[in-house]
Amino acid sequence: MCSLLYWYQNRFNFSRITYKLPRFSSKVEMKKNGQAVWVPVTVRVEDHVIVPDLDHFNIENPDQFIEDYTSNIASTPMNMSRPLWEFHVLNVKTSNAKSVGIGKLHHSLGDGVSLMTLLLASSRKVSDPKAPPTTTATKKHADSSAKGWWCIRRFWLVINIIFTTLTELFKFWLTLCFMRDTKTPLMSEPGDIVRPRKCINRIISLDDVKMIKNTMEMKVNDVLLGMTQAGLSRYLSKKSVDDDMATGKKKVRLRGTVAVNLRSDTKIEDLTNMMEKGSKCRWGNFVGIVIFPLWVRCEDDPLEYVRKAKSTMDMKRISMEALILYGLVKCIMKIFGDKAAENIVKRVFGHTTLTFSSVMGPKEEVSLFDHPMSYVTATASGGPQALIIHFVSYVDKIIINLAVDPTVIPDPHQLCDDLVESLDIIKLAALEKGVHNMEV
């Protein structure tokens, strides 16, 4: 991954990034009316690129050291008197990489898509050092067999969109007002406090996820959500002291907040051009928040978790909830200020159990300034929730990253094991289903 050599011998590249993305060379100041503004400042690279002297550390277990180091910087508040980013270079060989680079960036710099775009724009293919990486663009396929019924189908789709959107907005309003998730071992106590974070990650096979996707005729995100539901069910069945809750006889309200990318352009060319003036693809935070109900109970058929996930995702895909809520929050910010919008978001997050997100990474191996990358992962810190689950794809693998409050979830490795084991169980069930279909 990145090394100290790049950062000191390639300052032209750094200047180019700060020129195209002025937020990386600006600090945030608050006006008297409570409005936050970006103020350009002189950037001292030495304040942002941190290379710890590892000779002072007793590193017996490199993986554990990286985990502790990441958790420590995730729990440390950022210095608001300078640009809100840091890059830590650790020359430590782990089980997955020869060295590690850790970037810590404030969410005001950009959302997950923006930051992944910056990574893609800065990297090149290992197979072709002059070519940028590629990702899979979202494609919409027209159903040619239904041309004769297009009027009826479109009318029914509009009705369905309106009804689903109104229903989801009503549920969002209930959550904002009073509806909290069921108290479980994953649910944090209410309160606006800065929570400690422990960050761990695990690598799974993208091919396994795609096999389940193809067998069940669904999308990758459907499989990841289904795996999450199965893993949470396994974990809670072991931790819950309520037998009815553990067996699924007692209904559990467990929901996750999901940040939805609202950009219509998803091709790499559109994303990398995001940094250019006049680009149609917007840099910054252009995401909407939706609330996902999670199916948490013991199921005899493990494929039921992915079926339920697909059903939920299909409903959310036709809803305009994310776009409407994005516009509503922007409107509240303009009328009542940033603090009012922040309180609304915190209240919604505080009434739900976790945050779930997935970001699509490069399809082939890439290098960052001539340093090949072994894997890419991401997470978030802050917020009232005790659990944040992120998935990032890279070549033929998917990296699971958990950021937990250790005072609420003291055994995050067990939770991560349950997620991975659930994927294996779902994979075996999908293989059996595929074999049965072939025999029939």
Side-chain angles (χ1 to χ4, degrees), residues 152-169 311 313-321:
I152 297 177
R153 290 174 64 87
R154 181 166 295 184
F155 175 76
W156 175 247
L157 177 62
V158 170
I159 297 298
N160 201 9
I161 289 174
I162 295 174
F163 177 78
T164 302
T165 300
L166 291 176
T167 302
E168 296 305 313
L169 289 175
S311 176
M313 294 287 275
D314 287 345
M315 178 182 64
K316 290 294 182 178
R317 287 186 183 108
I318 66 171
S319 172
M320 300 293 290
E321 173 189 4

Side-chain angles (χ1 to χ4, degrees), residues 184-200:
T184 67
L186 298 173
M187 187 70 175
S188 61
E189 295 294 335
D192 187 11
I193 61 175
V194 178
R195 300 187 180 278
R197 289 294 173 186
K198 187 173 183 62
C199 304
I200 66 172

Side-chain angles (χ1 to χ4, degrees), residues 74-78 191-197 346 381-385 405 407:
S75 302
T76 304
M78 298 201 75
D192 187 11
I193 61 175
V194 178
R195 300 187 180 278
R197 289 294 173 186
K346 281 186 176 180
S381 61
Q385 295 166 321
D405 180 349
T407 63

Side-chain angles (χ1 to χ4, degrees), residues 13 16-18 20-21 24 105 109 111-124 268 271-272 274-275 283 368-369:
N13 293 318
R16 181 171 176 268
I17 290 174
T18 55
K20 288 192 174 185
L21 302 174
F24 281 78
L105 304 101
L109 295 175
D111 54 30
V113 173
S114 294
L115 299 178
M116 180 59 72
T117 297
L118 178 59
L119 175 65
L120 294 174
S122 304
S123 59
R124 293 295 180 266
I268 181 62
L271 294 175
T272 52
M274 188 188 298
M275 295 182 289
W283 172 273
L368 190 60
F369 305 105

Side-chain angles (χ1 to χ4, degrees), residues 212 216 218 222-223 225-231 233-234 295 297-309 421-433:
I212 300 172
M216 300 299 295
M218 55 181 58
D222 299 338
V223 178
L225 180 60
M227 179 190 79
T228 301
Q229 294 182 147
S233 299
R234 286 174 61 87
W295 185 260
R297 63 187 63 189
C298 295
E299 291 287 353
D300 296 329
D301 181 6
L303 295 180
E304 188 64 21
Y305 292 109
V306 292
R307 293 191 189 101
K308 291 290 185 180
E421 290 171 10
S422 296
L423 176 65
D424 293 336
I425 294 172
I426 294 172
K427 174 187 172 183
L428 290 176
L431 286 172
E432 292 178 0
K433 175 182 175 62

Side-chain angles (χ1 to χ4, degrees), residues 255-272:
R255 297 167 299 166
T257 52
V258 181
V260 179
N261 175 35
L262 299 177
R263 299 173 181 85
S264 58
D265 302 306
T266 58
K267 292 189 292 187
I268 181 62
E269 293 81 5
D270 298 315
L271 294 175
T272 52

